[in-house]
Amino acid sequence: MTHIRKDFLNDKKHIHFIGIGGSGMFPLVQILHGMGYYITGSDNNPGDTIDFEREKMDIPVVLGQKAENIKGADLIVHTAAIMDDNPELIAARESGVPTIERADLLGLVTSWFDNCVCICGTHGKTTTTAMLTQMFMECGMDPSAVVGGKLPAIGGSGRLGKSDIMVCEACEFEDHFLKCHPDIAVILNVDADHLEYFKTLDNIIASFHKFAQMTTKTVIYNGDDINSCKAVEGVTGKKMITFGMDEKNDYYPKNIVHKDGRHTRYSLYYHGENLGEVLLNVPGDHNILNSISAIAAAIESGCSVSQALSSASVFEGAGRRFEIMGENKGVTIADDYGHHPAEIEATLKAAKAMEYKQVWAVHQPFTYSRTAMLLDDFARVLQIADHVVLSEIMGSREKNTYNIYAKDLADKIPGCVWFETFEEISKYVMSHAQPGDLVITLGCGDVYKCAKLMLAEK
């Protein structure tokens, strides 16, 4: 895997982003804008991020992608979702101006920091990255950060700090994380995903192994997760730290107490020693594991044990991670980014543990390949909810060569219904849900728009 040299941006002043509204682009835009670069961009879809970039950051953003948008740029950055036949990308490549993919730029940015903590894993990356970022801030460490979701504490998803510490969400999609420069790697879990690229789980494990081996200082990994353990087998020259629920791990919790399904208190142990109590303001057992990994990374980065433990309580969630959107007609509406069966399972189990009457799952399947390859797993976990409503599949960067449709998933879930539009879903759910119910929209596409429609339903 090739890396861009550290001084690559030295002669650049104007950076243009194709797909500037994307969740992976926004944090880089915020960091580079904060460094003084002149930023422009384009996107095909309006949204809250575009509005923020235009209104709060004064960045010129054009809706619609066309060749003339790149005029004057010294560097052009595009997302992986931009197809090769995109007219703006074609013009960029023909212009002679350096044109790179977002993952290459992210890798470059991570190389600027002496203590870059990269959070990887198939699930939980955004929450853990956001949590650790806020913990570092609470501990006075002044980190830079790249988060895959919006974190209220930093006013977006990117932050430029003054220290040598960076927290970076490092995604395995198409091996993008292998372009990063991790000093501390946190491996939350390893599961079967992005099989359209990796083909097999063994290939995914091998990729995580490469990531662990290229880490310069410390690897913190889930000792309860078989695939994570396989991934670090044979990794040498690093400090290896395990976390998990089992007492065989270096870090583990005891005396876990859940309160009203939303708050958790536990004692954190390290090698049999009680380090102290941790209070969490995010729900679910999966967030216990996320917090333990973040605390371990904070301690490894120089936070005191007491600071690391107490700072975990300041985190109250990231955008689109079990985000309570509001209430309408006595029905609570929440939104979650979960788009893999393991993520949906964790979210719905947390939802069922809360004090709601019934839980509605409104799911937008994301990509044809994932839906087709994990169809039975999706059907199994969605049934944790009391009611399931599906939208049609969001294909994103794919074409439907799998001949898969939402109806195929709905047919495997008793009582499940599906609709082509969010407007139909909103009317159906809000006419059937009862006061005291929870409706949670699930998916990494634009299903959050459905949550907003339900909040506005008369």
Side-chain angles (χ1 to χ4, degrees):
M1 186 67 63
T2 57
H3 293 90
I4 297 174
R5 67 183 190 276
K6 285 188 179 184
D7 63 353
F8 179 71
L9 293 186
N10 284 6
D11 59 344
K12 314 292 190 297
K13 294 180 180 179
H14 175 182
I15 305 175
H16 180 79
F17 289 81
I18 307 176
I20 195 169
S23 61
M25 292 289 230
F26 187 36
L28 293 169
V29 168
Q30 287 190 291
I31 288 173
L32 294 171
H33 184 266
M35 294 175 68
Y37 289 96
Y38 177 64
I39 307 293
T40 59
S42 67
D43 210 287
N44 279 329
N45 302 302
D48 294 343
T49 299
I50 298 294
D51 293 342
F52 185 93
E53 289 168 336
R54 282 173 163 173
E55 297 166 14
K56 304 293 185 184
M57 302 175 71
D58 200 27
I59 292 175
V61 178
V62 176
L63 282 178
Q65 288 165 346
K66 38 194 183 293
E68 57 264 33
N69 291 346
I70 67 170
K71 185 177 179 181
D74 302 312
L75 173 67
I76 301 164
V77 185
H78 65 95
T79 69
I82 301 297
M83 300 291 191
D84 286 337
D85 60 357
N86 182 287
E88 195 165 328
L89 181 58
I90 291 172
R93 288 172 170 166
E94 292 177 349
S95 68
V97 175
T99 301
I100 61 173
E101 208 274 318
R102 181 207 67 92
D104 293 303
L105 180 59
L106 176 61
L108 170 65
V109 172
T110 63
S111 73
W112 297 337
F113 298 87
D114 291 333
N115 189 52
C116 182
V117 183
C118 288
I119 312 290
C120 70
T122 323
H123 327 293
K125 294 185 292 294
T126 296
T127 296
T128 308
T129 305
M131 183 184 293
L132 181 57
T133 298
Q134 198 160 348
M135 288 168 61
F136 276 141
M137 291 169 64
E138 185 74 6
C139 294
M141 307 293 272
D142 198 10
S144 296
V146 169
V147 187
K150 292 173 183 174
L151 175 60
I154 64 174
S157 54
R159 182 179 195 271
L160 179 64
K162 294 183 174 65
S163 74
D164 66 349
I165 294 176
M166 180 181 202
V167 190
C168 175
E169 179 172 334
C171 184
E172 75 280 4
F173 172 71
E174 292 190 356
D175 278 330
H176 284 176
F177 64 166
L178 298 184
K179 298 182 179 185
C180 292
H181 293 259
D183 297 298
I184 296 175
V186 176
I187 303 176
L188 298 169
N189 40 61
V190 180
D191 209 342
D193 198 10
H194 303 301
L195 292 174
E196 77 287 354
Y197 172 79
F198 287 109
K199 308 303 181 188
T200 68
L201 177 58
D202 284 342
N203 288 340
I204 298 171
I205 292 170
S207 193
F208 276 88
H209 176 85
K210 290 178 186 175
F211 186 77
Q213 188 58 59
M214 61 191 276
T215 303
T216 63
K217 298 175 184 174
T218 305
V219 176
I220 301 167
Y221 67 98
N222 186 340
D224 292 346
D225 182 57
I226 293 172
N227 293 331
S228 296
C229 293
K230 285 182 181 178
V232 300
E233 283 178 4
V235 171
T236 58
K238 333 290 174 193
K239 183 177 181 180
M240 307 297 288
I241 296 173
T242 59
F243 69 93
M245 293 292 191
D246 196 292
E247 294 184 15
K248 71 182 181 187
N249 293 293
D250 297 316
Y251 287 93
Y252 58 90
K254 292 179 73 171
N255 310 318
I256 298 171
V257 177
H258 293 290
K259 183 182 178 184
D260 66 28
R262 295 176 184 270
H263 306 93
T264 303
R265 191 180 298 273
Y266 68 88
S267 300
L268 180 62
Y269 279 72
Y270 177 73
H271 291 176
E273 177 190 355
N274 186 352
L275 299 181
E277 194 170 71
V278 178
L279 173 65
L280 292 183
N281 290 308
V282 284
D285 284 345
H286 59 295
N287 276 319
I288 295 176
L289 290 174
N290 290 340
S291 68
I292 296 172
S293 70
I295 290 168
I299 293 170
E300 284 299 301
S301 300
C303 292
S304 71
V305 172
S306 61
Q307 280 182 318
L309 268 60
S310 64
S311 66
S313 66
V314 303
F315 178 70
E316 295 185 348
R320 300 215 62 213
R321 272 66 184 178
F322 213 128
E323 181 180 5
I324 302 297
M325 305 289 287
E327 189 177 293
N328 186 13
K329 303 179 184 179
V331 177
T332 300
I333 312 295
D335 177 55
D336 191 88
Y337 195 76
H339 55 281
H340 183 279
E343 295 162 348
I344 292 172
E345 181 175 21
T347 298
L348 290 179
K349 282 182 175 178
K352 290 285 285 184
M354 295 178 177
E355 298 171 348
Y356 294 104
K357 289 182 179 177
Q358 295 196 87
V359 174
W360 292 70
V362 176
H363 178 50
Q364 179 189 45
F366 187 76
T367 71
Y368 304 112
S369 58
R370 182 184 285 111
T371 307
M373 293 174 180
L374 303 176
L375 189 67
D376 289 340
D377 289 329
F378 278 115
R380 173 179 56 82
V381 301
L382 284 166
Q383 291 180 63
I384 295 169
D386 300 292
H387 306 277
V388 182
V389 182
L390 300 177
S391 78
E392 197 45 87
I393 300 167
M394 185 174 188
S396 184
R397 53 191 173 264
E398 296 182 344
K399 291 180 170 59
N400 192 6
T401 56
Y402 297 85
N403 196 31
I404 186 82
Y405 299 92
K407 184 181 183 303
D408 299 315
L409 178 55
D411 287 346
K412 290 178 171 285
I413 302 171
C416 179
V417 296
W418 65 277
F419 299 95
E420 291 186 356
T421 69
F422 290 155
E423 288 78 10
E424 292 172 290
I425 292 174
S426 176
K427 291 184 186 305
Y428 175 85
V429 172
M430 293 310 294
S431 64
H432 289 79
Q434 300 297 311
D437 286 359
L438 170 69
V439 179
I440 184 162
T441 52
L442 293 155
C444 67
D446 59 356
V447 71
Y448 66 90
K449 295 177 181 177
C450 190
K452 292 182 177 180
L453 286 172
M454 288 186 284
L455 283 173
E457 193 73 40
K458 302 297 185 185

